[in-house]
Amino acid sequence: MIAILLIKKIISLFLLIGTGFLLVKARLLSEKDSRVLSALCLYVSMPCMILTAFQVELTGELVRGLMLAVMASVLVNLGLVALVTPLAGLLRMNGVEAASVIYSNAGNLVVPLVTTLLGKEWVIYSNVFLAVQMVFLWSHGKIIICGEKKPDWKRILKNINMIAILTGAVCLALQIRFPFPFRDAMDAAGSMIGPLAMLVTGMLMGSMNWNQILGHRRVWGIAALRLAVVPLLATVFLKYSGLAAMAEEGEKILLIILIAVITPAASTITQMAQMDGKDAEYAGIINVVTTVLCIFTMPVMVSLYQ
């Protein structure tokens, strides 16, 4: 059963988080060292993973599957923005809190999870969600976090992962295949995304003040919205919307979208808050708390969907 496999994979990823945590606590590495791993994850592993996912044969079934993934991703993101915006006003949430409820950490978790649960050939559909969410996050998300008046389209298009997605899409459409040595090297680099991301998370957790984390009362309400309320709404929508009929493997494709939605709060929110002088520490606490708790919530949501 997929839920059981999901539990096993999440536990293995959390063991890597624990390794990063212990390395910092033992003073073998420091928080600053995590920046090197973050750079490798962002500029090497993630782009390679995205590009290799598009190295497949273009078929009618794949096209229909991609169309379904695009439609589901857009509808889910639009729905979350529409639902959380009035809720944020009602609960007096600030920009960091609202963005943490809406946007998930799909980039770091969904690829290793989908690869393990369904196989590498299904990663291409997770890339669709990443591309759609990236547009929403760097437009709407940046506006509510940083108080900007208009979307930063230049930053969206210059994002290394967006470049990789657009390049991969062109290669898929024109059926351009990379030579074997390059494809093999890129596949190896892309497979590191899960371990690298989890080690970085653990190292960041090891440098945090846990008394301060536990002292933030509002973080638990934000975590409940991010990991319970939003996933429940997404599960109901994806299961009963009838969208699955658009493609031969529609249910599996929508499961991938669901897995992307139910991950912890996006780590990009912390980076945005840090760049613009907002409450980056609080954003990081939300990310850490939701990351720890997702081991319990994600399998439940997948079981409900199935």
Side-chain angles (χ1 to χ4, degrees):
M1 188 177 179
I2 290 182
I4 302 298
L5 291 174
L6 180 62
I7 292 172
K8 292 179 179 179
K9 183 60 180 178
I10 292 176
I11 290 174
S12 68
L13 292 176
F14 267 80
L15 289 174
L16 290 169
I17 290 178
T19 301
F21 183 88
L22 292 174
L23 285 171
V24 171
K25 287 299 183 183
R27 297 185 178 179
L28 296 173
L29 294 174
S30 68
E31 180 190 358
K32 293 181 180 179
D33 296 318
S34 68
R35 296 177 184 176
V36 177
L37 295 181
S38 293
L40 285 172
C41 189
L42 178 63
Y43 295 108
V44 179
S45 189
M46 180 68 81
C48 286
M49 177 278 302
I50 290 171
L51 287 170
T52 53
F54 283 98
Q55 294 287 291
V56 294
E57 183 182 354
L58 185 62
T59 63
E61 181 180 346
L62 178 62
V63 170
R64 288 187 291 273
L66 291 173
M67 290 175 62
L68 169 60
V70 170
M71 181 175 292
S73 299
V74 170
L75 290 175
V76 165
N77 279 280
L78 279 175
L80 289 177
V81 170
L83 287 169
V84 174
T85 299
L87 185 64
L90 186 66
L91 299 179
R92 297 182 180 179
M93 287 192 276
N94 59 33
V96 166
E97 291 173 331
S100 296
V101 174
I102 296 171
Y103 299 110
S104 64
N105 202 24
N108 291 338
L109 276 177
V110 70
V111 173
L113 290 177
V114 169
T115 301
T116 300
L117 299 176
L118 301 173
K120 288 184 178 180
E121 67 274 17
W122 295 92
V123 171
I124 190 170
Y125 299 111
S126 65
N127 288 340
V128 172
F129 183 87
L130 293 178
V132 171
Q133 181 177 262
M134 203 176 299
V135 173
F136 275 85
L137 183 54
W138 284 96
S139 53
H140 169 264
K142 201 163 192 304
I143 287 172
I144 64 173
I145 293 170
C146 307
E148 296 187 355
K149 294 182 179 180
K150 59 181 181 179
D152 191 349
W153 297 112
K154 189 175 292 185
R155 186 180 290 273
I156 293 172
L157 294 175
K158 289 171 65 176
N159 185 287
I160 184 65
N161 293 327
M162 182 61 79
I163 293 172
I165 289 170
L166 294 174
T167 303
V170 170
C171 290
L172 175 65
L174 300 179
Q175 287 292 277
I176 298 173
R177 299 296 178 91
F178 299 125
F180 173 74
F182 291 99
R183 190 168 66 248
D184 192 46
M186 290 169 66
D187 189 52
S191 65
M192 297 190 301
I193 180 67
L196 282 176
M198 296 303 102
L199 282 172
V200 169
T201 300
M203 291 171 71
L204 293 174
M205 289 170 64
S207 64
M208 287 185 167
N209 185 336
W210 281 85
N211 289 328
Q212 189 175 12
I213 291 175
L214 297 174
H216 273 273
R217 294 182 179 181
R218 284 182 64 88
V219 72
W220 305 106
I222 301 302
L225 289 170
R226 170 68 256 165
L227 298 176
V229 177
V230 165
L232 277 172
L233 292 173
T235 301
V236 171
F237 171 71
L238 293 173
K239 187 174 180 65
Y240 298 107
S241 63
L243 289 173
M246 287 181 58
E248 285 83 347
E249 295 283 357
E251 288 188 4
K252 278 189 179 180
I253 294 170
L254 293 184
L255 174 61
I256 293 169
I257 303 302
L258 179 65
I259 291 173
V261 173
I262 64 179
T263 54
S267 56
T268 306
I269 295 169
T270 305
Q271 298 163 10
M272 285 183 180
Q274 195 169 30
M275 287 188 298
D276 289 85
K278 304 299 179 181
D279 199 348
E281 184 177 354
Y282 182 38
I285 289 173
I286 294 173
N287 176 256
V288 167
V289 170
T290 53
T291 298
V292 171
L293 295 178
C294 79
I295 189 173
F296 306 105
T297 60
M298 290 183 68
V300 173
M301 296 303 163
V302 169
S303 296
L304 289 175
Y305 175 81
Q306 291 186 305

